[in-house]
Amino acid sequence: MSEVERIGPQALPALQEQVEAILAEAARQGASACEVAVSAGQGLSTTVRQGEVETVEFNRDQGFGITLYVGQRKGSASTSATGEAAIRETVAAALAIARHASEDECAGLADAALMARDMPELDLYHPWSITPEQAVEQALACEAAAFAADARIKNADGTSLNTHQGCRVYGNSNGFIGGYASTRHSLSCVMIAEGEGQMQRDYWYDVNRQGELLADPAGIGQRAAERAVSRLGARPVPTCEVPVLFAAELAGGLFSHLLAAISGGNLYRHSSFLEGALGQCLFPEWLSLDERPHLPRALGSAAFDGDGLATYAKPFVEKGELVSYMLGTYSGRKLGLPSTANSGGVHNLFVTHGDEDQQALLRRMGRGLLVTELMGQGLNLVTGDYSRGAAGFWVENGEIQFPVQEVTIAGNLRDMFRQIVAVGRDLERRGNICTGSVLIEKMTVAGS
């Protein structure tokens, strides 16, 4: 893709004009307030399997979503079409919905005085000059390295390279318009091992704003193969109550459950076990969770939230204590609290970690279960009860003994949070939550 073809910063002025046109049309049709998000993106995706190319796809999409208000009534509509007719029709559809909606005293735009003003440069746009042929070549090299890593790798379940660049502009009738261009590139490999009367599947991947900084394709393939082979011979263990170590690539899920429990939507609906928990000590005193939304090139960085409010660095947990909920404008109004500029979610959450790597945490654990895969959605957010299918490795005397499958791990998130013994320095940076492996003092492991 040439620079001319790319959807990047040069597309922002046209998208901003479109936002202004939509806001003007909403006002013309009688909306008392309006907000709109316009996006455009394009990408290349290729998948190979067993040395053959399965797909090479180029995609390009655009569209906008609009939310408008008639007094305290709200209506929303979206479209992938462009042009004046599409704008008129979509605004009319949203207005029709708003006029049939019930009044909601909390509905409406955020206060104009709170809108983001200074936009930090977050360096999120790094287009990757890779051709479809080069993408296929990298994916094939990744898979070939996986097959070469071990003779027990007998099959592949797909190796994919994806690259995407796009722009998004948000604006509202309080006078705010902000936009940014961003990129995201990834390479993943899923392999199948056979041996000891079993077939086992596992994967590895990398993701980055900068394609040139992705991990070496051969290294990703080898890691996927090693993980698949290491699971051969897996078996259940007898039901027991032991320490559990969540591998870093899974540990972020524990903290995503916390974010769900402290999110305004679940709190005002009275569907969270952490309702009323502000000010309570939920974690050990050494543990803090803080948001850093302005990190250059980070996958979760953003200058403003979904309401147009300026994002800012802040803790959610400080020295074990829950010091902030996660609120947007609407949920804040429902709870009688100010927005925390988290409409749309959190931006780069960092978890306190210690000096120990995963091997050191295994030694500290002594006997227990290292979890490397979770299955199912066994979380009751109302009670905090947690129960999920798991696979991983049994540990004795601080050393891995054999792979484990067909077990369930169970506990309650309040207990699990309090019983975090340590967080490793093996940080997982491929997402929005940065944490190392997490060692929990005890959980129920239900097996044979």
Side-chain angles (χ1 to χ4, degrees), residues 200 231 234-240 242-246 368-376 386-394 402-410 443-448:
Q200 295 284 358
R231 297 177 62 157
R235 59 186 190 266
V237 294
T239 298
C240 54
V242 292
V244 170
L245 178 62
F246 287 80
L369 181 68
L370 166 63
V371 176
T372 58
E373 183 182 19
L374 291 167
M375 291 150 275
Y386 180 97
S387 177
R388 298 187 69 182
F393 299 89
W394 187 252
F402 56 85
V404 172
Q405 66 179 8
E406 297 175 0
V407 298
T408 300
I409 57 172
M443 292 182 69
T444 298
V445 177
S448 56

Side-chain angles (χ1 to χ4, degrees), residues 35 106 108-116 170 172 262-265 267-268 278 291 303-316 323-347:
E35 56 186 336
C106 296
L109 302 178
D111 189 327
L114 300 177
M115 295 295 164
Y170 168 87
N172 60 43
I262 65 171
S263 70
L267 292 169
Y268 76 72
L278 205 61
E291 180 185 29
F304 55 90
D305 77 342
D307 295 327
L309 273 61
T311 54
Y312 59 98
K314 58 183 171 293
F316 288 104
V323 295
S324 175
Y325 290 140
M326 190 174 73
L327 308 174
T329 297
Y330 181 79
S331 60
R333 287 172 180 161
K334 295 286 283 187
L335 294 167
L337 296 169
S339 172
T340 60
N342 288 112
S343 175
V346 72
H347 307 285

